[in-house]
Amino acid sequence: MSDIFSLIDEEVDAQKFDKVSTEKGSTLSTLVRQSMEIEDDIAATEQQLKDLKYRKRKVNEEDIPALMNEMGMDSIEVDGNKVKLRQFVHARISEEKRDEAFAWIRSIGEGDIIKNDVTVSFNAGQDNVAGAVVDELRSKGLDPAQKTHVHPMRLKAWVKERIEKGKEIDFDTFGVHVGNEAKISRS
């Protein structure tokens, strides 16, 4: 509706309305409504998928492991499908704990898991500067963006290895969550 009113405020070429008919206007309205309904269906389906993934995670990471532990088993076959409990580890360094986590990793001599990315935006014709080191870039008046991080999969593997070897790790600093999950192999 607001588009029609904006047309009134502008100078409009009257010939633009020559191709407009009641039938085409009705078809256009139907298509716009159809697009909006599809958009709503997509949002509802995405929410449903999110809910299903949550329910599956709860069953596999909480319900099945709890019952199997209560029954004293770590594997079973159900309807020809193999069910086995396995330990999982999740880890994440929050922005608030980043400096503390990196300092601790370096203090135990394992700083090699920390990546250090340096990024610089260059103007056209500055290709020769791109290969220079950070100090050289700064001496030329460029301001490189620098990011230090631990890749999430590397962090997860590193935390898991420390836990398995009984080495010290601060679960809070590294956002560690350890649990069991049911791994179901379909027959």
Side-chain angles (χ1 to χ4, degrees):
M1 241 7 223
S2 64
D3 290 336
I4 292 172
F5 293 122
S6 67
L7 289 175
I8 294 171
D9 293 339
E10 303 175 10
E11 281 190 40
V12 178
D13 183 359
Q15 290 179 346
K16 289 183 179 180
F17 291 102
D18 289 346
K19 295 180 181 178
V20 175
S21 68
T22 304
E23 181 183 326
K24 286 181 181 177
S26 177
T27 301
L28 178 59
S29 294
T30 300
L31 290 172
V32 169
R33 285 186 198 100
Q34 184 180 25
S35 176
M36 292 169 56
E37 286 174 15
I38 292 169
E39 185 177 346
D40 291 344
D41 288 348
I42 289 170
T45 302
E46 286 175 344
Q47 183 61 48
Q48 182 182 14
L49 179 60
K50 186 178 178 182
D51 294 345
L52 286 170
K53 286 181 177 183
Y54 170 79
R55 286 176 39 207
K56 182 179 187 307
R57 186 198 59 75
K58 184 181 180 312
V59 168
N60 285 15
E61 293 181 12
E62 296 175 21
D63 300 342
I64 294 173
L67 188 55
M68 287 180 68
N69 284 334
E70 190 177 310
M71 296 170 69
M73 58 177 63
D74 61 3
S75 65
I76 191 170
E77 195 169 302
V78 177
D79 299 332
N81 302 301
K82 295 180 183 177
V83 182
K84 182 175 175 122
L85 292 185
R86 67 178 183 125
Q87 184 183 52
F88 70 85
V89 174
H90 295 292
R92 180 183 167 274
I93 300 172
S94 67
E95 196 58 40
E96 303 84 48
K97 301 278 186 176
R98 190 176 160 277
D99 291 341
E100 179 184 347
F102 286 4
W104 190 80
I105 291 170
R106 288 182 176 114
S107 76
I108 63 168
E110 296 191 23
D112 58 335
I113 72 165
I114 300 171
K115 293 182 108 187
N116 193 341
D117 297 336
V118 177
T119 307
V120 179
S121 296
F122 295 93
N123 294 327
Q126 290 183 309
D127 291 343
N128 59 330
V129 180
V133 295
V134 172
D135 291 340
E136 184 176 330
L137 291 171
R138 287 190 176 132
S139 73
K140 292 186 180 288
L142 299 170
D143 186 22
Q146 188 172 7
K147 176 184 172 187
T148 54
H149 64 99
V150 178
H151 189 278
M153 294 305 290
R154 180 67 180 110
L155 176 66
K156 179 180 170 178
W158 179 77
V159 168
K160 185 176 183 179
E161 180 182 326
R162 290 193 68 79
I163 290 170
E164 288 172 352
K165 291 183 176 180
K167 292 184 175 179
E168 179 186 0
I169 184 84
D170 184 335
F171 279 36
D172 183 51
T173 299
F174 294 96
V176 177
H177 174 69
V178 178
N180 289 315
E181 66 180 340
K183 180 70 177 162
I184 302 172
S185 302
R186 293 180 181 251
S187 56

